[in-house]
Amino acid sequence: MNDIKQFLRSNALRPTKQRIVIAGYLFDGTDKHVTAESLSTELAKRKHIISLATIYNTLHDFYENGLLKKLTLSADRVYFDTNTNDHHHFYSEKEQFLIDINKNIKVNGLPKTPKNKKINKIEVIVHLDK
Amino acid sequence: MNDIKQFLRSNALRPTKQRIVIAGYLFDGTDKHVTAESLSTELAKRKHIISLATIYNTLHDFYENGLLKKLTLSADRVYFDTNTNDHHHFYSEKEQFLIDINKNIKVNGLPKTPKNKKINKIEVIVHLDK
DNA sequence: TCAACACTTTAGAATCATTCTAAACTGATA
DNA sequence: TATCAGTTTAGAATGATTCTAAAGTGTTGA
């Protein structure tokens, strides 16, 4: 609890009740993939009712501070990943199935980066099913 | 024109006025990336007013028939690619900048595919900027 | 050639994730 | 503990996409 407060403060985030609850859930040591909706549902199960607006705000605040990765998996919702290490994913849209690929994947044969641009990140999505 | 009709027929698509116009634009020999909105705008410039609903319907019909690839680049709109070969992309969300990587990219070090699943496609997105 | 019908198109409504607004609330600080 | 900037929130707004159901149009068989 106090460590969560410290954790939030050290990321320039005021430790409000809601952020403490959300951070407590997200950063409990196990990697998680969440959407605003799924997070809301999980917290509700634990009797923590937090408005969707706040959930969106908080996910973005955490993302902006590098505490979450944002995943581009499908066009209909945004996923956030508590594993902020360099890694990739298996994804099944049909089954909402998503798992990390933590093994060292190498992408070889990339052409030159376009002029005056720099690479922000390389995202490898292995789509399953069809 | 007649070749476009044949092309549509050979894909089990009734060659309607609208589909002929859309296919004529999309499959003119140069690779294109479009969204429903951008396609609508381009066709309007050419004095072809086609309802958005039809544009969505047609993009999906073409996609279902393998004439287009669907790209998962950002969560706020769907992109379709007329290049249906195996390839990847540089993408800048900020600048709506999108170019093909046709070079042979190799992804090495993939772990075993999850049980009872098979790989549909591997998508590599090189995100630029930040 | 044309009637008949299944397939298409379309305007407008509906949906749904997400963002915005602006008012109430609450950590932090002096 | 008063003050105020930073937060939360309900509800409205937005925007891409899908749905609905009515009107339109290729296609086919005679």
Side-chain angles (χ1 to χ4, degrees):
Chain A
M1 173 69 175
N2 276 319
D3 30 329
I4 295 179
K5 284 194 185 182
Q6 278 321 308
F7 171 74
L8 289 169
R9 282 206 189 86
S10 70
N11 281 285
L13 292 165
R14 186 184 288 191
T16 65
K17 289 193 203 72
Q18 296 79 185
R19 283 175 178 165
I20 290 168
V21 166
I22 295 174
Y25 170 73
L26 289 177
F27 308 117
D28 67 357
T30 67
D31 290 343
K32 293 183 177 56
H33 302 110
V34 303
T35 64
E37 202 59 41
S38 78
L39 178 52
S40 171
T41 302
E42 281 309 310
L43 296 179
K45 278 187 197 163
R46 293 163 173 69
K47 310 298 178 200
H48 291 119
I49 305 304
I50 297 178
S51 79
L52 256 189
T54 297
I55 288 182
Y56 276 103
N57 288 341
T58 304
L59 286 172
H60 283 122
D61 293 342
F62 287 4
Y63 170 68
E64 291 303 332
N65 282 279
L67 305 179
L68 294 173
K69 278 188 96 168
K70 197 191 282 190
L71 305 182
T72 309
L73 298 174
S74 75
D76 57 354
R77 67 194 6 51
V78 173
Y79 288 82
F80 289 92
D81 193 336
T82 60
N83 179 351
T84 55
N85 297 320
D86 202 13
H87 70 289
H88 302 284
H89 297 89
F90 282 115
Y91 178 61
S92 161
E93 182 156 18
K94 197 174 69 181
E95 304 184 27
Q96 299 272 318
F97 178 81
L98 174 60
I99 47 179
D100 285 0
I101 300 175
N102 282 308
K103 278 186 125 168
N104 245 6
I105 289 189
K106 284 273 179 317
V107 177
N108 296 312
L110 272 183
K112 260 212 309 272
T113 303
K115 251 197 168 50
N116 303 318
K117 305 268 185 273
K118 68 181 200 329
I119 293 177
N120 170 21
K121 67 170 173 184
I122 297 177
E123 199 172 24
V124 178
I125 304 166
V126 182
H127 294 265
L128 304 175
D129 306 314
K130 163 64 179 187
Chain B
M1 172 69 175
N2 277 320
D3 31 329
I4 294 180
K5 284 193 183 182
Q6 277 322 307
F7 171 74
L8 289 169
R9 282 207 189 85
S10 71
N11 282 284
L13 292 165
R14 188 183 286 190
T16 65
K17 288 194 203 69
Q18 295 79 187
R19 284 176 177 163
I20 291 169
V21 166
I22 295 174
Y25 169 72
L26 289 178
F27 309 118
D28 67 356
T30 68
D31 291 341
K32 293 183 177 58
H33 302 110
V34 302
T35 63
E37 203 60 42
S38 78
L39 177 54
S40 171
T41 303
E42 281 309 309
L43 296 178
K45 278 187 198 163
R46 292 163 174 69
K47 309 299 176 201
H48 290 118
I49 305 304
I50 297 179
S51 79
L52 256 189
T54 296
I55 287 180
Y56 276 102
N57 289 341
T58 304
L59 286 172
H60 282 123
D61 293 341
F62 286 4
Y63 170 68
E64 290 304 330
N65 282 279
L67 305 179
L68 294 172
K69 278 188 98 168
K70 197 191 282 190
L71 305 182
T72 309
L73 298 174
S74 75
D76 58 353
R77 68 198 358 64
V78 173
Y79 287 82
F80 290 92
D81 192 336
T82 60
N83 178 352
T84 55
N85 297 320
D86 202 14
H87 71 289
H88 302 284
H89 298 89
F90 282 116
Y91 177 61
S92 161
E93 183 157 18
K94 197 174 69 181
E95 303 185 27
Q96 299 271 319
F97 178 80
L98 173 60
I99 48 179
D100 285 358
I101 300 175
N102 282 308
K103 276 186 129 171
N104 246 6
I105 288 188
K106 284 273 180 314
V107 177
N108 296 312
L110 271 184
K112 260 211 311 272
T113 304
K115 253 198 166 48
N116 302 318
K117 305 268 185 273
K118 67 184 202 328
I119 292 177
N120 170 22
K121 68 170 172 183
I122 297 177
E123 199 171 23
V124 178
I125 304 166
V126 182
H127 294 266
L128 304 175
D129 305 315
K130 164 63 178 188

